Amino acid sequence: MDEMTELRELRADAPVPDRAALAPGRKRLTDAIGGGGRRSYRLRTDWRIASLGAVAAVTAGALLFTQVLDVPAPRPSAPATVTGDLDLTSPAAALGRAADFLDRQEAPPEPRSDQWIYLREKNPEQEEGWAEVPAEVRERMDMGGYSPDSWVPYDDKAAENDASDTDYRTARESYRIAAGLPEEPRALLAKLREVFPSGDGEYGEREDEAEHSFRALYVLLQSYPLPPAAMARIYRAMATVEGVGVTDHLIRDASGRQVIAVTRAYDRNTRREILIDPVDYGYAGERDVVTRTHEAPRPEGLTPRVLKRGDILMNVARTRAAVVDAKGQKP
C-alpha cells in the first residue's frame, strides 16, 4: 500500500468541506509543492480543509468526534464586575455589551513591519489525529508533528502581492482592513463581502448574503491584532446578520475555559460557533456543532457514520496571542 492510499484511509468518512475551508488548504498544498513558505495563520484553525495528500495527514484528526458539555454562566475566574454584566439574552445584547467595552479600550500601536504574530491554540482532535499518522508515512512525506504554537511575520509583502487566494489576508492587511471599516453595520458588511468574495459554486453551494457576511466576519476576527474600536464595529455588525444567535449560557471551549458562543447555522445539520472571551471580549476560538442527528456520507462501500446532535466536529481554542520581536519567541 502506498502512502497516498494510507492517508486516504485514515479518515475515509470525512464530510465534504466548504469552499472557504478548502481555499487555504489548497494554497498551502500548492505552496508546499512549489517550495513556497507562505502560511495563513488566520485560517489555520479551520482544519476541515482535508484534501488528499499532505493536507489530509495534517488534518487527520478532524473527524475524531467528541462531545463537550455546556456549562452555566458565570465564568468563575472572571471578575464579578464583568461576568455580572453579561447579558446573553440576544446577539444584540451580548455583542453590544462587548462593543461598548472595546470602545473604551486604548488601542496599542500597530506592530512594526519586522515583528511577528505568535499564536497558541488548543486543538485536541488535531493533536490526536497527528498521533495516528504512522511515523513511516510522516518520514516519507517529510512532515513534522502537531504543534500548538505558530508564528507568522506581521509584514509579508510577498503574500500581500499574491492574489491567487482571495480568502487570504496577511496580518498587516487584516489590521488595516479592520481599521478602515465603516461604522454603519450594513456598509461594514458590504465592505467585508467585497474584501472576502463569495465562491462561484465550484466547491459547494453559493452563499446567500447573510451566510457570506457571517463568513467574512469570522475570517477577519481570527486575525491578530485588530484595533479595539474596529472589533467593536465588527461585533455590532455581526449582531445584525440574519440567523445569528448567542447561547444563553457560557460554554466550555477546548481548553476548558468558559466563553461566549455566537452561533449561526452552517447547514441543515450543523452550526458554527464563534467563541468570545467574556472578560476582554477577544476572539477565543471556534466550534462546529451537530444540531441534527443524521448519517454522514462516506465513500462507496463504507457504512455511513451516524452523527448525533451535540457532537463536535471542530473545536479550537486560542489560548494565547501576542506580538513578538522574532520567530520562535514566546511572550
Side-chain angles (χ1 to χ4, degrees):
M1 181 184 295
D2 62 26
E3 59 264 29
M4 290 298 100
T5 302
E6 291 180 61
L7 288 170
R8 290 186 183 101
E9 293 183 354
L10 283 172
R11 288 293 181 269
D13 54 348
V16 178
D18 59 34
R19 172 187 176 273
L22 279 166
R26 287 198 314 274
K27 180 58 183 169
R28 287 199 293 274
L29 184 58
T30 301
D31 287 342
I33 294 171
R38 171 177 162 186
R39 184 179 181 210
S40 167
Y41 81 91
R42 179 179 49 73
L43 286 175
R44 70 183 287 271
T45 57
D46 199 351
W47 43 264
R48 296 184 309 144
I49 59 176
S51 55
L52 296 178
V55 179
V58 174
T59 59
L63 293 173
L64 292 178
F65 301 109
T66 62
Q67 287 193 322
V68 176
L69 297 178
D70 290 352
V71 295
R75 176 183 177 184
S77 60
T81 55
V82 176
T83 56
D85 289 341
L86 282 178
D87 185 346
L88 304 179
T89 58
S90 70
L95 292 170
R97 190 69 58 96
D100 291 343
F101 173 85
L102 290 165
D103 273 335
R104 297 192 297 269
Q105 307 310 304
E106 183 177 351
E110 181 180 354
R112 302 189 312 268
S113 61
D114 63 337
Q115 290 185 301
W116 290 72
I117 307 303
Y118 165 73
L119 298 177
R120 184 174 182 85
E121 293 174 341
K122 179 70 173 177
N123 189 334
E125 289 77 26
Q126 191 177 57
E127 185 174 2
E128 292 174 15
W130 263 110
E132 292 189 359
V133 178
E136 61 271 19
V137 174
R138 292 202 301 266
E139 290 173 3
R140 283 199 298 267
M141 301 188 71
D142 192 24
M143 296 186 301
Y146 168 78
S147 173
D149 302 309
S150 64
W151 291 263
V152 292
Y154 180 70
D155 181 8
D156 190 343
K157 289 185 173 58
E160 285 188 10
N161 294 329
D162 184 350
S164 62
D165 185 350
T166 59
D167 282 326
Y168 180 84
R169 294 295 181 274
T170 66
R172 186 176 72 167
E173 285 180 305
S174 297
Y175 183 97
R176 295 181 178 181
I177 288 167
L181 288 173
E183 186 79 29
E184 201 278 318
R186 285 180 298 181
L188 184 151
L189 295 174
K191 177 62 177 178
L192 285 185
R193 290 194 299 271
E194 177 184 330
V195 170
F196 301 106
S198 189
D200 57 8
E202 181 181 0
Y203 297 102
E205 297 181 3
R206 294 177 183 272
E207 298 170 304
D208 60 32
E209 183 175 294
E211 182 181 8
H212 187 182
S213 294
F214 189 69
R215 175 175 63 85
L217 286 164
Y218 78 69
V219 165
L220 185 58
L221 276 174
Q222 291 180 51
S223 302
Y224 184 87
L226 297 179
M231 291 184 66
R233 295 194 295 273
I234 290 169
Y235 285 155
R236 290 192 177 102
M238 183 176 289
T240 70
V241 175
E242 180 183 358
V244 166
V246 63
T247 56
D248 62 3
H249 55 278
L250 300 181
I251 63 98
R252 288 206 184 272
D253 69 6
S255 71
R257 300 172 304 183
Q258 295 187 26
V259 293
I260 298 168
V262 179
T263 70
R264 191 177 190 279
Y266 180 76
D267 55 32
R268 65 191 298 263
N269 297 318
T270 60
R271 71 172 180 264
R272 175 151 295 172
E273 298 180 348
I274 298 174
L275 308 181
I276 298 174
D277 190 294
V279 178
D280 64 11
Y281 296 105
Y283 171 83
E286 60 183 318
R287 303 195 313 178
D288 277 1
V289 183
V290 176
T291 56
R292 174 177 171 269
T293 299
H294 66 285
E295 289 188 350
R298 301 179 72 184
E300 186 176 353
L302 295 178
T303 303
R305 178 187 291 273
V306 175
L307 301 182
K308 297 180 180 180
R309 180 179 178 182
D311 283 350
I312 308 299
L313 304 183
M314 177 174 65
N315 191 21
V316 181
R318 178 174 295 174
T319 59
R320 193 75 171 91
V323 178
V324 295
D325 290 331
K327 183 178 182 180
Q329 179 182 350
K330 296 182 180 181

